[in-house]
Amino acid sequence: MTSPDSLLSRLSAFASEDPNKVALTFLSPGPDGGNIQNTLTYLQIAQKTDDMAMYLQSNSLKKGDLAVLVYPPSLDFILAFIACLK
């Protein structure tokens, strides 16, 4: 049996294969699902999470440290979560 791909490896592969494809969409509340408030492509996710991960590491955080993510509902939480995984 093969091991499943990790979230990070799949995001990296998608960023290489189809960087401009929309990966995430955040909808504002409203009737019929609301309106599109924000979208991110695979390339944007890769770039933003790489920048966040480097920032976290440059501020003396290391593997195994705890981080508290406090965000209102948005794509920012997802980006911060992925950056922490990196």
Side-chain angles (χ1 to χ4, degrees), residues 5-72:
D5 289 330
S6 72
L7 173 64
L8 296 179
S9 66
R10 293 309 308 148
L11 285 173
S12 177
F14 290 142
S16 296
E17 295 166 9
D18 201 356
N20 296 316
K21 184 176 181 180
V22 173
L24 296 171
T25 301
F26 185 80
L27 300 175
S28 61
D32 300 325
N35 297 313
I36 294 176
Q37 188 172 352
N38 193 9
T39 61
L40 291 171
T41 65
Y42 287 110
L43 181 60
Q44 289 172 315
I45 293 170
Q47 291 171 335
K48 288 175 186 276
T49 57
D50 284 348
D51 291 344
M52 287 174 138
M54 283 190 279
Y55 175 80
L56 292 171
Q57 290 175 343
S58 70
N59 284 292
S60 302
L61 291 175
K62 57 190 176 307
K63 187 174 182 174
D65 284 350
L66 300 178
V68 177
L69 304 178
V70 182
Y71 288 87

